[in-house]
Amino acid sequence: MFLKLVLICLCLQHLVGVFGSDPVWSVSVNKGESVTLNSDLTEMKNDDVIQWRFGYENTLIAEINVTADRFTVYDDVLDGRFRDRLKLDNQTGSLTITNTTLKHEGHYKLKIKSHRKNFHLTVIVKISVKEGDSVTLNSDLTEIKDDDLIQWRFMNEHTLIAGINKQVDRFTVYDDVLDGRFRDRLKLDNQTGSLTITNITTEHDGEYELEINSTRIYFFLTVIVSVTEGDSVTLNSRLTEVKDDDLIQWRFEYTLIAEINKQDDRFTVYDDVLDGRFRDRLKLDNQTGSLTITNITTEHSGCYKQEINFFRRTSFIRLTVYARLPVPVISSNSSQCSSSSSCSLVCSAVNVSHVTLSWYKGNSLLSSISVSDLSISLSLPLEVEYQDKNTYSCVLNNPISNQTQHLDITHLCHTCSGSIEI
């Protein structure tokens, strides 16, 4: 089985608190994407003066003077972090920030005459990594300042897993918490405060929070699991046991496919939904709430969502199902006897997708060809000398499996017969 952890989130906007006497609206956006801070105006009045400010230093970053018909962005302030990224709406005065980075995380203030509106923007990063590999959650700092206090939390259980107190020069990882799931896996960068998690497993998916002094950055990790058609896969709930008041729901895309209501002692699979693609394939673990899908097909590829007690804990798993690979076929590329000193061969595979077809001499790659979404036939030629004593093989592979055919030169490369296949 092969999996990736991917950072994902949904763009959210909701009331989270107050700034002075004014409410604060929370907005989140994926790093590199655009986000619009809405003024709530349908149109500006002739005498309106609108100002957008950033940070607790109250730095002016954009301004509209309707009377003077002046729309100005000050995108060179603050070391140019907003350069070529700010756009003002000529009708409403709303502000759009494009190609967001972690440096755009923070507090924004809109002032229209006596009216004020406050926003707090959270920027989220997307990362993918194979199981067993490492992932680094970057702080986006170039160096840690002398008075910095940095804390990393695994937010599923709101648990501190690493911290830096620069004033006392203390760098600490708490890798024995949470049943030791992070043991010997956490590394802090002494210069930037970034956190590396090594030897990734499915237990590490979830929400992470980085707090630098008063600034917070949130990371949402979701799991992409890849399996071969016909296999079974278990989507883990990460619970050791289901509590008496738990309500656990599993959804495929937006459709409810399984549910546990512990209060009513009800364990239900809805395997007739979606044209019956899950019929007789779903099994719930009565103790942990994990969901097993048996006899997987490509129809089961997609996003699965587990929700425990209505948003108290939510996790996402993206499942990719690959078709079983055929063994590639090596054949002579000529139907006639050859009088030359070389032999022309071709390796082929029929009706394949998301694969790479390659020729190897020993362990060295000679050539390759790939296909992604389309199901097509692939072929790859090779020229070898009749007396070549090297070992050759043709390999068909996708991200989770491979099929190999070895070349028998004496069988295929001769001067007295037509095309022969192995």
Side-chain angles (χ1 to χ4, degrees):
M1 182 181 291
F2 164 90
L3 64 86
K4 295 179 180 178
L5 295 180
V6 178
L7 295 173
I8 69 162
C9 82
L10 302 175
C11 184
L12 305 174
Q13 183 166 323
H14 59 278
L15 192 64
V16 295
V18 294
F19 181 73
S21 59
D22 299 319
V24 179
W25 292 87
S26 175
V27 182
S28 62
V29 62
N30 292 321
K31 182 181 178 183
E33 295 181 358
S34 299
V35 62
T36 296
L37 307 180
N38 292 305
S39 68
D40 289 343
L41 298 177
T42 54
E43 62 178 353
M44 294 178 288
K45 298 178 181 178
N46 291 334
D47 59 347
D48 274 345
V49 176
I50 298 174
Q51 291 185 332
W52 284 97
R53 295 180 180 270
F54 174 73
Y56 292 98
E57 297 83 2
N58 219 24
T59 303
L60 183 65
I61 59 173
E63 187 175 30
I64 298 173
N65 187 318
V66 179
T67 303
D69 195 28
R70 189 169 65 240
F71 293 75
T72 310
V73 292
Y74 304 99
D75 56 1
D76 282 335
V77 298
L78 300 170
D79 301 322
R81 72 183 65 179
F82 291 101
R83 189 172 293 129
D84 300 324
R85 288 183 165 94
L86 299 179
K87 295 182 180 179
L88 282 165
D89 188 298
N90 292 356
Q91 181 176 349
T92 65
S94 296
L95 179 69
T96 296
I97 308 163
T98 63
N99 191 20
T100 52
T101 73
L102 293 181
K103 289 184 178 180
H104 303 124
E105 169 100 12
H107 186 79
Y108 293 78
K109 181 189 291 185
L110 167 65
K111 182 181 178 182
I112 309 173
K113 295 181 180 177
S114 59
H115 171 69
R116 289 178 173 83
K117 187 175 181 182
N118 295 283
F119 302 85
H120 187 84
L121 180 64
T122 300
V123 180
I124 292 124
V125 188
K126 293 181 178 180
I127 300 175
S128 63
V129 63
K130 292 180 182 179
E131 186 181 29
D133 285 354
S134 301
V135 60
T136 297
L137 309 182
N138 290 305
S139 68
D140 254 21
L141 298 176
T142 54
E143 62 177 352
I144 304 171
K145 297 179 181 178
D146 290 339
D147 59 347
D148 274 347
L149 177 63
I150 298 174
Q151 293 182 321
W152 286 96
R153 288 184 175 86
F154 185 61
M155 294 300 289
N156 288 25
E157 284 82 10
H158 201 80
T159 302
L160 183 67
I161 58 173
I164 297 173
N165 187 327
K166 196 64 168 65
Q167 285 184 326
V168 296
D169 200 30
R170 189 169 65 237
F171 294 75
T172 311
V173 292
Y174 305 98
D175 57 359
D176 281 335
V177 298
L178 301 172
D179 301 321
R181 73 182 67 174
F182 291 101
R183 188 172 294 128
D184 301 324
R185 287 183 165 96
L186 300 179
K187 296 181 180 179
L188 279 168
D189 188 300
N190 291 359
Q191 183 176 349
T192 66
S194 296
L195 179 69
T196 297
I197 309 169
T198 62
N199 193 19
I200 287 288
T201 74
T202 54
E203 286 188 312
H204 304 123
D205 83 301
E207 179 184 350
Y208 292 77
E209 177 194 79
L210 167 62
E211 182 177 359
I212 305 174
N213 303 327
S214 58
T215 301
R216 290 179 174 86
I217 302 168
Y218 293 93
F219 300 82
F220 293 84
L221 276 70
T222 207
V223 182
I224 297 181
V225 181
S226 297
V227 295
T228 299
E229 194 170 24
D231 288 349
S232 297
V233 63
T234 296
L235 310 181
N236 292 308
S237 69
R238 298 195 310 275
L239 298 176
T240 54
E241 63 176 350
V242 181
K243 297 179 180 177
D244 290 339
D245 58 348
D246 275 345
L247 176 63
I248 300 173
Q249 293 182 325
W250 284 98
R251 296 179 184 273
F252 176 67
E253 306 298 348
Y254 297 102
T255 303
L256 183 65
I257 60 172
E259 185 176 34
I260 296 175
N261 187 326
K262 196 64 167 66
Q263 283 186 328
D264 297 340
D265 199 29
R266 190 171 68 241
F267 295 75
T268 311
V269 292
Y270 305 99
D271 57 0
D272 283 334
V273 297
L274 300 171
D275 301 322
R277 72 180 67 175
F278 291 101
R279 189 171 293 130
D280 301 324
R281 287 183 165 95
L282 299 179
K283 295 181 180 179
L284 278 168
D285 187 301
N286 292 359
Q287 182 177 349
T288 66
S290 296
L291 179 68
T292 297
I293 310 169
T294 61
N295 193 19
I296 287 281
T297 74
T298 53
E299 281 190 316
H300 303 124
S301 292
C303 187
Y304 292 78
K305 176 183 177 183
Q306 182 206 31
E307 193 172 271
I308 303 175
N309 300 334
F310 296 110
F311 301 106
R312 181 176 68 82
R313 181 188 296 175
T314 301
S315 61
F316 297 88
I317 299 173
R318 181 161 290 280
L319 182 65
T320 301
V321 182
Y322 290 93
R324 290 198 176 276
L325 296 177
V327 177
V329 173
I330 302 175
S331 59
S332 172
N333 207 21
S334 174
S335 60
Q336 298 178 354
C337 299
S338 175
S339 59
S340 67
S341 61
S342 64
C343 179
S344 182
L345 303 165
V346 64
C347 182
S348 58
V350 180
N351 295 329
V352 290
S353 62
H354 299 93
V355 297
T356 298
L357 186 67
S358 307
W359 273 112
Y360 284 86
K361 182 168 77 171
N363 294 323
S364 299
L365 176 65
L366 296 177
S367 61
S368 65
I369 185 172
S370 299
V371 62
S372 55
D373 296 333
L374 299 177
S375 182
I376 64 173
S377 298
L378 291 179
S379 61
L380 195 62
L382 177 69
E383 292 281 338
V384 297
E385 297 295 324
Y386 283 117
Q387 305 304 317
D388 196 332
K389 301 302 182 183
N390 291 298
T391 59
Y392 292 86
S393 59
C394 182
V395 179
L396 182 69
N397 72 282
N398 60 28
I400 59 173
S401 63
N402 65 78
Q403 291 280 12
T404 301
Q405 182 68 270
H406 295 283
L407 171 62
D408 184 347
I409 294 179
T410 60
H411 186 83
L412 282 179
C413 296
H414 45 78
T415 59
C416 58
S417 67
S419 178
I420 303 174
E421 293 187 357
I422 60 170

